[in-house]
Amino acid sequence: SPMLRSCALLLALLFYVAGAQGAVIPTSDPNIYWSDYNWYRSSSYAQSVNPGAYFKVTFTNSSLLALQLHVPPSPSPPTTAYMTLRYSLDSAPYVNITLPAPGNIIKIASGLSSNSSHTFVCYILNSVFTVSRWYNGPPNSVMISGLQLEDGGKTAPNMMIKPKRMLAYWDSIGEGVRTLGVGDALVVDDSTITWAFSLAEGLDAEISVIGFGSQGYTVTGVGDVAPLFTPGNDSFSAWDKYFDAQSRLTTGKFSPPPDYIFCGHGTNDYYRGISSSVVQASVSGWLQAVRAAAPSAHIFLCVPFGGFHRIAITQAFGNYTGDARSYLLDLGAEAQEGLSSLGVPSRFADDGLHPLGPRSGQLGGILAVKATKEIMKKKMQ
């Protein structure tokens, strides 16, 4: 009857407004896909510091959806805006949420058809550079403790998971800095429209982007991030850690094993005056270390789009005793145009270095074509 329907709607609304528990789906639910190498997973939450990190899930039997955050008492998250999440439900236009959010419940939707399956995807869109991403927590991260559905709600196998796994180490160009122009990081940085996601689409892979602004092979990144690889100093190397002292590896290996690994550092080493010999030593050490952690992966050592430290990177690869599944990718002048002079605006970059979204996407497509050709070339040898 109309009265019963009204009562049911009122009860659903009260549930939603009050943030009642209903069915709480933990982050350990096997039907939730987390970008594999971005999220530290504890028994009670999933945590990431990386713009471009994402998760996706399919759920049924619920007209409601909310995201439950884990807010630790210490260190407390920043009280001013420090990160943006971006989500889409059932392929609707994206919605952005700025953190910190009031309370620990982010209400996504109500009034959904409980008789239908629904798909949800959520990204870390961007974050500020002024809050630590590495130490003491770190505070510049998001910690998700679960999804809230109504009673009887449940997840379902996600049929949209790509078959391959990819890991990409990069700098600010990897985390989408200034893809929308020059300005406030929480406005103009967009990690979801970079070369990385175009590359992943081209190789039919789920991608984990590990991009930190200002980081290089040998130099620290903003937010206190360690260099990518410091020879002889594992504790001051970031490649194998989610953040300080929290390993990204399981018994010395990536899990699951990645199919592809790309690395495009070198830009910030150049701008901070690091010598070619120091960069070369770091690149050589990283190649050996990452191969030990990913024995079967196709590893692509990339010269930065702007061409920085081309000689050092090329020499390091040439000296690598290597294997048949490692490759040097140098896009040369095709990529370098308009991206090699910080402070000199070009048609491809408002600041002369960080590619705008359309150009970044094009570069990802070029990388995918080149990488595929390199793999096929070695298979035919």
Side-chain angles (χ1 to χ4, degrees):
S1 70
M3 181 174 292
L4 288 176
R5 286 196 296 270
S6 297
C7 289
L9 181 61
L10 178 60
L11 287 172
L13 182 61
L14 288 173
F15 169 91
Y16 189 66
V17 171
Q21 292 296 306
V24 178
I25 308 300
T27 57
S28 59
D29 187 293
N31 289 326
I32 303 176
Y33 173 76
W34 304 89
S35 50
D36 295 279
Y37 316 108
N38 287 133
W39 297 89
Y40 166 65
R41 307 276 296 282
S42 79
S43 60
S44 56
Y45 59 83
Q47 179 181 14
S48 182
V49 300
N50 297 125
Y54 62 97
F55 70 93
K56 48 189 175 180
V57 64
T58 297
F59 65 93
T60 61
N61 297 346
S62 181
S63 63
L64 309 168
L65 173 65
L67 190 61
Q68 184 171 285
L69 303 183
H70 176 78
V71 182
S74 179
S76 58
T79 56
T80 58
Y82 71 94
M83 179 179 283
T84 309
L85 303 183
R86 165 172 285 180
Y87 72 82
S88 173
L89 179 64
D90 294 336
S91 298
Y94 283 118
V95 176
N96 292 348
I97 297 171
T98 302
L99 299 183
N104 66 342
I105 303 294
I106 297 176
K107 299 174 179 64
I108 304 298
S110 61
L112 303 172
S113 170
S114 58
N115 296 321
S116 302
S117 293
H118 302 280
T119 58
F120 178 71
V121 60
C122 183
Y123 299 85
I124 299 179
L125 182 67
N126 52 41
S127 69
V128 299
F129 288 172
T130 54
V131 180
S132 181
R133 296 171 164 181
W134 202 248
Y135 298 110
N136 301 320
N140 194 354
S141 66
V142 62
M143 304 169 78
I144 298 171
S145 58
L147 303 177
Q148 290 189 0
L149 307 177
E150 66 180 311
D151 284 330
K154 59 183 180 180
T155 64
N158 195 323
M159 305 305 293
M160 299 176 64
I161 307 300
K162 294 178 170 58
K164 303 291 187 179
R165 298 292 178 267
M166 181 186 300
L167 174 59
Y169 294 101
W170 229 267
D171 45 37
S172 53
I173 294 174
E175 65 169 305
V177 168
R178 296 180 176 175
T179 45
L180 300 178
V182 176
D184 185 325
L186 297 184
V187 176
V188 302
D189 296 356
D190 187 337
S191 63
T192 67
I193 58 172
T194 68
W195 59 270
F197 284 91
S198 295
L199 171 61
E201 287 290 331
L203 295 181
D204 203 19
E206 298 290 348
I207 188 168
S208 299
V209 184
I210 303 170
F212 293 111
S214 295
Q215 189 196 42
Y217 284 107
T218 68
V219 296
T220 57
V222 290
D224 307 320
V225 177
L228 184 71
F229 188 88
T230 305
N233 190 348
D234 178 70
S235 64
F236 200 51
S237 298
W239 73 276
D240 60 346
K241 301 174 187 66
Y242 295 108
F243 37 82
D244 181 51
Q246 188 58 63
S247 178
R248 203 187 307 274
L249 307 180
T250 302
T251 61
K253 300 288 192 294
F254 290 108
S255 181
D259 297 282
Y260 308 104
I261 298 176
F262 287 76
C263 185
H265 278 290
T267 300
N268 292 304
D269 304 277
Y270 170 83
Y271 274 107
R272 287 157 76 175
I274 306 301
S275 70
S276 293
S277 60
V278 173
V279 171
Q280 185 174 330
S282 181
V283 175
S284 297
W286 177 82
L287 278 169
Q288 296 173 32
V290 80
R291 171 54 77 205
S296 62
H298 293 285
I299 299 175
F300 294 90
L301 182 65
C302 304
V303 173
F305 298 138
F308 305 105
H309 273 305
R310 173 177 279 116
I311 293 175
I313 292 168
T314 302
Q315 289 178 342
F317 184 81
N319 294 336
Y320 175 53
T321 53
D323 49 67
R325 298 172 77 86
S326 58
Y327 317 80
L328 177 69
L329 285 185
D330 184 351
L331 302 188
E334 184 176 17
Q336 197 164 326
E337 181 188 351
L339 302 179
S340 59
S341 298
L342 181 61
V344 181
S346 72
R347 66 189 180 119
F348 290 138
D350 280 1
D351 65 358
L353 184 68
H354 297 89
L356 293 164
R359 183 55 175 166
S360 190
Q362 291 171 348
L363 291 170
I366 297 170
L367 277 175
V369 170
K370 298 278 189 181
T372 301
K373 287 182 177 179
E374 288 298 314
I375 292 172
M376 296 304 298
K377 186 190 303 182
K378 285 203 174 182
K379 283 184 177 180
M380 295 175 66
Q381 289 178 348

